[in-house]
């Protein structure tokens, strides 16, 4: 049984090897998509920093490029 904060969770359905494989594949795929999205956001922030426009300044807390 799976325990959550010391309490056993109820078994909702029987173990299924195909379902486990599907969920594992979906989990890995979603984690890779999130890693790619995070990397693209970091690269975009670095692009704006190197470009020297005001976009990066607006991302920093306490710094406003707008007057």
């Amino acid at each position: 049984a799976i325990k959550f904060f010391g309490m056993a969770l109820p078994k909702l359905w029987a173990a299924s090897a195909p379902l486990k494989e599907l969920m594992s594949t979906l989990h890995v795929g979603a984690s890779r998509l999130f890693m790619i999205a995070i990397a693209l956001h970091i690269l975009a922030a670095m692009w704006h920093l190197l470009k020297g426009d005001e976009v990066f300044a607006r991302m920093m807390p306490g710094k406003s490029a707008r007057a």
Side-chain angles (χ1 to χ4, degrees), residues 12-41:
L12 300 176
W13 53 78
S16 168
L19 182 61
K20 181 181 178 184
E21 184 65 31
L22 173 66
M23 290 298 141
S24 178
T25 301
L26 290 173
H27 186 90
V28 169
S31 67
R32 288 183 178 159
L33 284 174
F34 279 123
M35 287 188 285
I36 290 169
I38 290 167
L40 287 173
H41 275 83

Side-chain angles (χ1 to χ4, degrees), residues 1-4 7-14:
I2 297 174
K3 290 190 176 187
F4 183 71
M7 298 185 322
L9 296 176
K11 198 173 207 178
L12 300 176
W13 53 78

